């Protein structure tokens, strides 16, 4: 895909940018708002997550059942399944068990000093498989929409979780606040979630993705530590996606250790499709990492009518090719447009799916 032009926006006081090109115009990055609360420490996040899980365990001693006598369905077989739940092996044929979706599978977690990192289970199950959103499995036109920037603005994050259809995938920035809480809330609502990784763009540091950026000159050992620091902020994501990163993703030597780690852990990599130089597709195939690539950024222009036009083009592309992936940022205007479009798209026969449903999986 041809790279878009860079443009920065203040997202609840924190700069959030559009895709960059090799030589972007000079930009002035807005300063962080004084009212922005500092991120929780790893210890504070861990305590909050532990308290939430403890409360969830109390609530689910006797798992609640849906009205009409239907059983809660657990998408993947697991020794951790609660009493009264049905275990099935094909997530495309059933609905996810939203009552427990926010609880990480114990055998898919590696406890480290950097937090709980996702890993493959001893029986081969991957976070990509277990945390993927269910879909119909049909051959009709399918669209995945990924809205990033979650966790930065508390208000926008809550609005996105509540207002967007549960089929919309949400991407969380590791610099955000209360990520465990927000990720759990998103999973409870049925959203598939991703971790956004800040990566070195062209013209860094004038264009700066923020704390935790993967840098070419940092070396693989440092970058893997930075990667794991970001990974440990929350759990239950099917994979990761780039935030900026035109320069980093174009450097196979820098990107290969990252992709190898993702593949070993059983995580998806989503390339937002804005850099024509990205080497991620070939690296993913060689690293056993499921891979997906965005077809367009839907909110290059922050205007509802323009975003609706972009979504219409995305829908047309899905009808022509069978599927399409759009990416955007959680601005209020984007959330409003996507919520309105998705309601109509379903009536027009478009199936909106989690991004995992459109990934190429080298292990299948």
């Amino acid at each position: 895909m041809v790279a878009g032009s860079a443009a920065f926006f203040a997202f609840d006081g924190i700069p959030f940018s559009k895709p960059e090109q090799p030589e972007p115009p000079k930009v002035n990055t807005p300063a962080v708002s004084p009212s922005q609360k500092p991120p929780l420490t790893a210890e504070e996040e861990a305590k909050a997550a532990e308290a939430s899980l403890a409360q969830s365990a109390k609530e689910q001693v006797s798992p609640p059942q849906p009205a009409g006598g239907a059983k809660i369905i657990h998408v993947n077989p697991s020794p951790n399944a609660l009493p009264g739940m049905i275990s099935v092996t094909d997530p495309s044929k059933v609905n996810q068990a939203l009552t427990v979706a926010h609880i990480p599978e114990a055998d898919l977690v590696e406890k480290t000093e950097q937090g709980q990192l996702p890993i493959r289970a001893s029986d081969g199950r991957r976070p990509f498989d277990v945390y993927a959103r269910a879909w119909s499995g049909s051959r009709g036109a399918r669209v995945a929409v990924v809205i990033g920037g979650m966790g930065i603005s508390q208000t926008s994050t809550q609005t996105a979780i509540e207002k967007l259809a549960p089929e919309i995938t949400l991407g969380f920035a590791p610099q955000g606040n209360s990520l465990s809480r927000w990720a759990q809330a998103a999973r409870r609502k049925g959203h598939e979630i991703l971790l956004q990784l800040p990566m070195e763009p062209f013209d860094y540091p004038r264009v700066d993705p923020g704390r935790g950026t993967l840098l070419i000159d940092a070396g693989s050992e440092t970058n893997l530590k930075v990667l794991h620091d970001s990974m440990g902020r929350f759990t239950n994501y099917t994979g990761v996606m780039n935030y900026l990163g035109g320069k980093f993703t174009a450097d196979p030597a820098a990107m290969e250790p990252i992709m190898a780690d993702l593949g070993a852990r059983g995580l998806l990599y989503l390339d937002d499709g804005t850099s024509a130089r990205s080497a991620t597709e070939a690296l993913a195939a060689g690293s056993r990492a499921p891979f997906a690539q965005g077809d367009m950024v839907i909110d290059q222009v922050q205007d509802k009518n323009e975003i609706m036009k972009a979504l219409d083009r995305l829908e047309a592309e899905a009808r022509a090719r069978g599927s399409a992936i759009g990416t955007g940022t959680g601005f209020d205007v984007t959330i409003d447009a996507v919520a309105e479009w998705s309601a109509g798209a379903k009536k027009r026969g478009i199936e909106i799916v989690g991004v995992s449903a459109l990934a190429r999986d080298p292990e299948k």
Side-chain angles (χ1 to χ4, degrees), residues 43-65:
E43 183 178 357
E44 289 171 335
E45 286 277 11
K47 288 182 178 178
E50 183 179 353
S52 177
L53 293 179
Q55 180 62 31
S56 297
K58 291 180 181 179
E59 294 172 354
Q60 298 185 47
V61 172
S62 299
Q65 298 295 331

Side-chain angles (χ1 to χ4, degrees), residues 195-208:
L195 166 67
Q196 287 185 286
L197 293 177
M199 298 180 179
E200 183 177 353
F202 294 102
D203 208 19
Y204 177 86
R206 189 166 65 90
V207 176
D208 188 352

Side-chain angles (χ1 to χ4, degrees), residues 21 37 194 220 234 245 295 353 355 364:
Q21 60 183 11
K37 294 181 180 180
L194 298 175
S220 60
F234 63 101
D295 294 294
V353 297
V355 71
K364 292 184 179 179

Side-chain angles (χ1 to χ4, degrees), residues 33-356:
S33 168
S35 63
Q36 178 71 30
K37 294 181 180 180
L40 295 177
T41 66
E43 183 178 357
E44 289 171 335
E45 286 277 11
K47 288 182 178 178
E50 183 179 353
S52 177
L53 293 179
Q55 180 62 31
S56 297
K58 291 180 181 179
E59 294 172 354
Q60 298 185 47
V61 172
S62 299
Q65 298 295 331
K71 292 286 187 179
I72 293 177
I73 298 176
H74 191 60
V75 173
N76 296 85
S78 167
N80 300 320
L82 297 173
M85 297 177 68
I86 301 172
S87 291
V88 296
T89 58
D90 187 354
S92 69
K93 305 302 181 185
V94 299
N95 293 317
Q96 289 179 299
L98 301 184
T99 56
V100 294
H102 64 294
I103 301 177
E105 295 273 350
D107 48 359
L108 294 177
V109 170
E110 175 188 11
K111 295 182 179 180
T112 74
E113 293 181 355
Q114 294 160 291
Q116 298 187 63
L117 306 185
I119 58 170
R120 291 174 182 252
S122 58
D123 61 5
R125 289 177 303 122
R126 303 169 294 179
F128 171 74
D129 303 311
V130 175
Y131 303 139
R133 180 178 171 81
W135 64 290
S136 72
S138 70
R139 296 185 178 182
R142 292 161 292 152
V143 172
V145 177
V146 182
I147 301 300
M150 297 294 100
I152 295 178
S153 164
Q154 304 293 289
T155 301
S156 295
T157 301
Q158 182 174 5
T159 300
I161 291 171
E162 297 294 335
K163 190 170 186 177
L164 291 175
E167 295 89 352
I168 303 300
T169 302
L170 301 179
F172 285 80
Q175 304 99 326
N177 290 301
S178 306
L179 291 185
S180 291
R181 176 167 62 90
W182 288 121
Q184 289 179 13
R187 291 282 295 159
R188 283 182 185 272
K189 286 290 185 179
H191 297 285
E192 187 170 308
I193 61 177
L194 298 175
L195 166 67
Q196 287 185 286
L197 293 177
M199 298 180 179
E200 183 177 353
F202 294 102
D203 208 19
Y204 177 86
R206 189 166 65 90
V207 176
D208 188 352
R211 175 169 50 86
T213 297
L214 301 176
L215 302 172
I216 290 175
D217 292 339
S220 60
E221 183 176 350
T222 296
N223 278 331
L224 285 172
K225 181 182 183 303
V226 173
L227 170 68
H228 295 161
D229 284 340
S230 295
M231 280 184 171
R233 294 298 310 281
F234 63 101
T235 57
N236 293 36
Y237 43 88
T238 56
V240 308
M241 66 180 292
N242 63 295
Y243 170 54
L244 298 180
K247 186 176 182 180
F248 193 89
T249 60
D251 190 314
M255 190 68 204
E256 192 280 331
I258 302 300
M259 196 69 77
D261 190 78
L262 298 178
R265 294 179 180 279
L267 294 170
L268 157 79
Y269 182 83
L270 170 64
D271 188 309
D272 68 8
T274 58
S275 174
R277 301 185 185 186
S278 175
T280 57
E281 183 172 7
L283 291 172
S287 301
R288 298 189 301 160
F291 177 84
Q293 182 170 336
D295 294 294
M296 71 174 66
V297 177
I298 62 172
D299 55 357
Q300 288 275 30
V301 179
Q302 286 292 294
D303 175 82
K304 185 175 180 180
N305 288 334
E306 292 301 316
I307 296 172
M308 293 296 286
K309 290 178 182 178
L311 288 165
D312 287 341
R313 292 194 295 272
L314 190 70
E315 181 177 330
E317 188 162 350
R319 293 188 186 279
R321 293 175 30 219
S323 65
I325 299 173
T327 61
T329 299
F331 301 108
D332 290 342
V333 65
T334 304
I335 294 171
D336 288 343
V338 172
E340 181 177 325
W341 168 84
S342 61
K346 294 176 185 179
K347 296 177 182 178
R348 294 188 293 271
I350 294 292
E351 181 173 11
I352 304 173
V353 297
V355 71
S356 65

